[in-house]
Amino acid sequence: MPELAEVDYYRKQWNPGLGQSILRVHLNGGKRLFRGSDPALLARQVLGTRLKDSWSSGKWMLFHLSPSSWLGIHLGMTGSLSVGTPDHLPGKHDHLVLYQKKQSLIFTDPRLFGRVNFSLGKESPAWWQALPPSLLSTKVTFSDIVIFLEKRGRSPIKAVLLMQERFPGIGNWMADEILWRAGIHPRRQSGKLSEAEQKELWKQTRKVVRDALRVIGTTWSGPPDSWLFNHRWKDGGRCPLTGCGLVRESIGGRTSCWSPKRQAAN
DNA sequence: TCCTATGTTGTATG
DNA sequence: ACATACAACATAGG
């Protein structure tokens, strides 16, 4: 499920372990989650470290295990983080468990599309520092967005919103939510939006990010029925603004949902 | 049995 | 070299 707000929600699930040492490690080192990393090194190095801090950036999370271990986690499509008892028995899909005195920190991912990046160093790892800036930071401007929309001009706007290099943390439901609010059909060519549409897209992008972080990132309470979110997967779902029937179709390889009354195909 | 799933990446094509 | 499209990854659930 994880897009940026869910990712940050899951990151905080490990907060009970902050300040405490890692006493034991369980991992399924043969799984593709660990591609690019050395799971044996992880298992060895993390012992005795202390969970110091954590951050999220787009769909990535980073955990600092002091003094010098860094654990990057991507949840893929079905990953999640949770806290278990200190003697938690790893389930079939619990691929990494960090045991502490009072609890265990669990990373579960049935489909294995997620990823674990382990590294050592004084500073946060290079891959982390190279991640694109948050859509809410002043480092991303309207002009950056316009340039990107035009560079990817022949792709459907839906596919462009999913490109993490410019829209970090946006996933399938957020992209549909943004386009629905902005009144733009997901199949419109990215380079053919009017200036007014570009502006509305940027405005709604930032709004959906803020709304998601507020509603999902903190409480996991469901979004209100005024969002497309609650209607998009239901057969016979209706647009909360116009009441017309919602349409679902694959665009750019992902199922997309839109309101034909609000979002004209052109 | 077949289809779907809130993600990314390797590969083929233009 | 660059942009674009899509199969592949692995598993569960309807």
Side-chain angles (χ1 to χ4, degrees), chain A residues 9-235:
Chain A
Y9 170 85
Y10 282 123
R11 174 187 67 81
K12 288 182 270 188
Q13 297 309 297
W14 279 11
N15 279 355
L18 284 170
Q20 295 167 47
S21 313
I22 310 302
L23 306 175
R24 189 159 62 90
V25 177
H26 160 87
L27 55 75
N28 291 336
K31 299 293 186 179
R32 64 194 294 272
L33 290 169
F34 296 95
R35 60 198 181 279
S37 285
D38 180 346
L41 183 74
L42 192 175
R44 202 172 342 120
Q45 288 290 335
V46 148
L47 281 181
T49 63
R50 192 178 293 270
L51 180 57
K52 180 97 179 189
D53 208 348
S54 68
W55 306 266
S56 68
S57 174
K59 295 176 188 170
W60 279 99
M61 297 176 277
L62 183 66
F63 295 88
H64 178 31
L65 296 148
S66 94
S68 54
S69 290
W70 302 86
L71 193 59
I73 296 185
H74 193 295
L75 297 172
M77 192 93 91
T78 53
S80 65
L81 300 190
S82 61
V83 168
T85 60
D87 60 349
H88 174 76
L89 203 60
K92 187 177 174 188
H93 304 302
D94 295 344
H95 304 297
L96 177 66
V97 185
L98 305 178
Y99 291 94
Q100 297 180 310
K101 186 167 182 209
K102 295 182 184 164
Q103 66 272 309
S104 53
L105 311 176
I106 307 165
F107 170 36
T108 305
D109 183 7
R111 279 174 79 181
L112 299 172
F113 290 172
R115 194 150 189 171
V116 174
N117 277 354
F118 179 74
S119 57
L120 291 166
K122 212 68 204 137
E123 304 285 324
S124 63
W127 65 264
W128 173 262
Q129 294 186 35
L131 292 175
S134 161
L135 292 164
L136 296 182
S137 85
T138 53
K139 289 181 185 161
V140 186
T141 65
F142 177 58
S143 138
D144 292 330
I145 298 301
V146 170
I147 289 167
F148 191 75
L149 295 181
E150 281 165 10
K151 187 170 141 204
R152 303 308 184 125
R154 284 157 51 209
S155 296
I157 184 62
K158 168 63 185 280
V160 174
L161 281 174
L162 294 174
M163 294 176 182
Q164 301 296 298
E165 70 215 76
R166 185 40 83 195
F167 295 98
I170 302 297
N172 205 24
W173 81 255
M174 289 181 82
D176 281 355
E177 190 77 31
I178 289 163
L179 292 169
W180 172 71
R181 294 193 192 185
I184 297 169
H185 192 287
R187 214 183 279 283
R188 292 278 305 285
Q189 278 189 42
S190 173
K192 290 190 175 168
L193 301 184
S194 69
E195 194 185 346
E197 287 171 328
Q198 292 172 336
K199 284 195 167 141
E200 193 59 18
L201 182 82
W202 178 225
K203 179 181 166 186
Q204 296 303 336
T205 297
R206 291 166 51 97
K207 176 119 174 56
V208 168
V209 169
R210 280 193 299 266
D211 284 352
L213 287 170
R214 179 169 45 78
V215 172
I216 294 167
T218 53
T219 66
W220 197 253
S221 60
D225 282 346
S226 57
W227 295 19
L228 179 65
F229 186 97
N230 286 355
H231 312 273
R232 53 173 288 125
W233 296 119
K234 282 182 279 200
D235 283 334

